[in-house]
Structure formats: structure tokens, C-alpha cells
Amino acid sequence: MLQNDGIKAFYKGLSAGLLRQATYTTTRLGSFKVLTNKAVAANDGKPLPLYQKALCGLTAGAIGATVGSPADLSLIRMQADATLPAAQRRNYKNAFHALYRIVADEGVLALWKGAGPTVVRAMALNMGMLASYDQSVEFFKDSLGLGEASIVVGASAVSGFFASAFSLPFDYVKTQIQKMQPDASGKYPYTSSWDCAMKTLKSGGPLKFYTGFPVYCVRIAPHVMLTWIFLNQIQKLEESVGL
């Protein structure tokens, strides 16, 4: 990539990636906080069991993915452009140009193309990420007696791994659906997410869904870790100014 297209190739779709984070990530983290606060209040202030944290994570992931799906679609298509023949490239200039073109060419509802697997993938990722983080914080604090910095870093690392492991199969299907192109007769390779999953399972077996797991983990885990570390610092700042 560096040799053929230069350093800019690594940032293909950056505007869509930033828009996705501004919509999807803020919504899911905010939703998770609201949901867990309500669950703790309903539980008389006691710590939530793991299954309740998982349910809150699933719900927050679904809400966030629904809001962020248009930006996610733009990101997938902008990054996939380089792998397509020149005649099939969409040549979106930025995220907002991509959104405009999708609406103009395919209609408003096309912004949520692949939203089903996007939502399922987000639910799996958030269940792995959010529930495992809270559970790890309790374990490192109560069982191991670690300091605050060690707890945040350690729990963030655990959270990043589980987020990657839980979400990759769904991310694989989602990506295949969002980047697929019709053939000469106008027929798409997959008719639905289920069809894509079954064809993938038949052709490559279960491990096919974990294609590229090391790269995916390197992509997801640091992002999850930094998200938790910055969120922890932001919450401390809010507390210090009385918010």
C-alpha cells in the first residue's frame, strides 16, 4: 500500500471513520451508562451480575449501531474502493459525499444497507467489551487489589480481546454484505446475511469467520483500550468540576 499509493492509503475513509465514531461510539457508551445506572438503581445499588451487564451491553450496541450504520456503510465502501476494478469504483470524496451519493443513487433506506449484521456485530462487540470491562475492574480491584492505573489498563486489555473475539464473525459477514457488487446480470453474490454466513461456513468452515483475527485484534483492542482510558480520565475531570 505504501509503495503503490503512498501514506494516504492508510487513511482511506478517515472522514467516514471519524463520523462513525462520533455517532456510533458516543451513542453506545452513553446508552450503556444510562442503562447500567437504571439497572443498579433497580437492584438497590448493588453491583450488577454479569448477565445484566451483558444485556445492557447488547442493548447499547444495538442502539449505537442503528445510529451509526450510515457512517459505517460509507467507511466500508470507501475502503473497499481500492480493491475494485476502476470501472466499478464509486470514488466517494469524503463521508458526506458518500452519504449524498448513496441517498441520490439508491434511496434513503440504502443508508441502512447491511444494518442487520451491523447491529448484530455491534451487540456482540459491546457485550464482549462492556461486560468484560466492568467484570475485570471488579476482579482486579477486589481480588487482586491493584492500583487504579493498573486496573484501568488491565481491564481495558481484557475488554479489547473479548470485543475482538466476540465480534469478528459478525464483522466478517457485515463487511461481505456491505461491499458486495452485482454481477453482469445484476445478481448479488448473497441474498441476505444468513445466506452469506451459510455460504462462508460451507466453503471455509467455522474458522473462515476468523480470517485475519490477529490484524482485527490489533485494530480493535488498542481502540477499545484507549476508549476506556480516555473515558476514565474524562469521568474524573467531570467529577472534579462537579458535573
Side-chain angles (χ1 to χ4, degrees):
M1 289 171 64
L2 183 64
Q3 184 177 1
N4 295 333
D5 302 308
I7 194 69
K8 290 192 297 183
F10 295 108
Y11 293 92
K12 186 79 171 177
L14 177 61
S15 61
L18 293 173
L19 180 62
R20 178 180 179 274
Q21 296 305 326
T23 52
Y24 162 65
T25 298
T26 55
T27 302
R28 69 186 172 110
L29 291 177
S31 300
F32 182 71
K33 191 69 175 177
V34 171
L35 291 168
T36 51
N37 285 345
K38 288 185 177 295
V40 168
N43 203 30
D44 298 325
K46 299 176 183 177
L48 298 179
L50 181 60
Y51 81 92
Q52 289 187 3
K53 294 173 186 174
L55 287 174
C56 289
L58 284 169
T59 306
I63 296 170
T66 302
V67 174
S69 188
D72 189 65
L73 176 63
S74 302
L75 175 62
I76 293 295
R77 289 190 174 184
M78 290 176 73
Q79 290 182 327
D81 242 18
T83 65
L84 299 173
Q88 295 182 17
R89 293 179 184 175
R90 297 180 173 96
N91 297 315
Y92 298 144
K93 297 176 183 177
N94 53 55
F96 295 104
H97 180 239
L99 296 175
Y100 169 78
R101 282 275 307 281
I102 291 169
V103 171
D105 297 343
E106 305 169 50
V108 175
L109 292 180
L111 291 172
W112 281 270
K113 188 172 186 178
T118 299
V119 169
V120 173
R121 178 253 188 195
M123 292 171 68
L125 185 146
N126 281 274
M127 183 177 70
M129 171 185 171
L130 301 175
S132 66
Y133 179 80
D134 276 9
Q135 198 70 20
S136 298
V137 167
E138 292 178 11
F139 174 75
F140 290 143
K141 183 178 180 180
D142 299 335
S143 300
L144 301 183
L146 299 180
E148 182 181 357
S150 299
I151 290 173
V152 172
V153 173
S156 298
V158 172
S159 175
F161 174 80
F162 279 103
S164 304
F166 275 55
S167 64
L168 181 55
F170 303 102
D171 187 81
Y172 182 90
V173 172
K174 173 188 76 72
T175 302
Q176 299 305 310
I177 292 292
Q178 289 182 321
K179 75 176 186 179
M180 66 180 178
Q181 291 269 23
D183 59 20
S185 64
K187 184 179 179 181
Y188 284 95
Y190 309 113
T191 58
S192 65
S193 301
W194 181 254
D195 181 52
C196 177
M198 290 299 99
K199 287 181 177 177
T200 301
L201 184 63
K202 186 177 180 180
S203 64
L207 292 181
K208 181 69 173 177
F209 294 104
Y210 282 91
T211 300
F213 178 74
V215 176
Y216 184 75
C217 195
V218 167
R219 171 199 160 203
I220 294 292
H223 171 74
V224 170
M225 290 180 66
L226 289 173
T227 297
W228 284 124
I229 291 170
F230 279 110
L231 186 61
N232 180 262
Q233 294 303 310
I234 291 170
Q235 289 173 340
K236 289 172 65 175
L237 179 62
E238 289 175 343
E239 292 173 1
S240 68
V241 298
L243 293 178

